[in-house]
Amino acid sequence: MNQDFYARMGLPGPETETSVPADIFVVSVHCERWTYEELEASDAGTREIELDHVTADAHDLVRHGREYGLSEPYCADPRMSSDIWFRSTYPREDRAYFEQGVQKYYSLHIHDVNGHQPEPADYQRIANLINVRFDHAFQSQDAKQEGPDLCL
């Protein structure tokens, strides 16, 4: 009976519906750790890789954005390089922060989107997923920029 109903309505049945495949991202998350002593002495902090070339879906990206406090894009001039990543601007306030004065900053690097290098539209979609404002218009070298460049 269910199949007849769907057929009469001109709709596919629930078991025959095709879903759109989910986006697959290959990402890394890096962490910079700074102690008060390192900051005062202008020494380099410690760099670690939290996640290294991990496969993620859209839900994972949303979770990573929240977990690592990602709040802004960072990019080079897209006319020179298309490397863009997303970073935290405030240290994570965890136990190490309060007890030892360790400040941790995170960055999310996108290596691959659905089997290809990330394109401008991919970065915009990722920014939307992780709730980061990303207003930078990608332009060719011949195009004239209108307004400020919002990437740092």
Side-chain angles (χ1 to χ4, degrees):
M1 175 178 139
N2 286 340
Q3 289 298 346
D4 291 335
F5 169 78
Y6 288 104
R8 284 189 306 242
M9 299 300 289
L11 300 171
E15 63 275 352
T16 61
E17 283 187 26
T18 58
S19 62
V20 176
D23 289 323
I24 300 296
F25 307 93
V26 177
V27 302
S28 293
V29 175
H30 296 205
C31 175
E32 287 189 29
R33 301 160 77 79
W34 299 81
T35 63
Y36 289 130
E37 294 80 20
E38 290 170 334
L39 288 171
E40 287 178 5
S42 298
D43 288 339
T46 306
R47 294 183 182 182
E48 300 175 349
I49 297 177
E50 295 277 317
L51 302 173
D52 190 19
H53 288 79
V54 173
T55 301
D57 62 14
H59 296 291
D60 295 328
L61 287 183
V62 170
R63 184 172 44 83
H64 294 326
R66 288 183 187 142
E67 181 179 340
Y68 296 113
L70 304 173
S71 58
E72 71 178 16
Y74 185 85
C75 64
D77 185 337
R79 294 168 294 187
M80 307 295 261
S81 169
S82 62
D83 291 338
I84 297 173
W85 59 93
F86 300 92
R87 66 182 184 177
S88 61
T89 54
Y90 296 100
R92 178 186 276 180
E93 294 181 348
D94 58 5
R95 188 174 186 161
Y97 176 81
F98 290 109
E99 292 180 0
Q100 302 159 3
V102 175
Q103 296 183 26
K104 298 177 196 170
Y105 296 89
Y106 296 91
S107 59
L108 172 71
H109 302 265
I110 312 298
H111 304 289
D112 185 279
V113 178
N114 296 327
H116 64 79
Q117 290 280 35
E119 297 172 356
D122 296 322
Y123 286 116
Q124 183 63 61
R125 198 167 69 247
I126 292 163
N128 293 344
L129 282 171
I130 62 175
N131 202 28
V132 170
R133 184 176 175 174
F134 185 69
D135 293 333
H136 186 75
F138 285 87
Q139 303 164 347
S140 67
Q141 289 181 338
D142 300 331
K144 193 172 193 179
Q145 180 172 337
E146 296 178 23
D149 179 359
L150 298 178
C151 280
L152 302 173

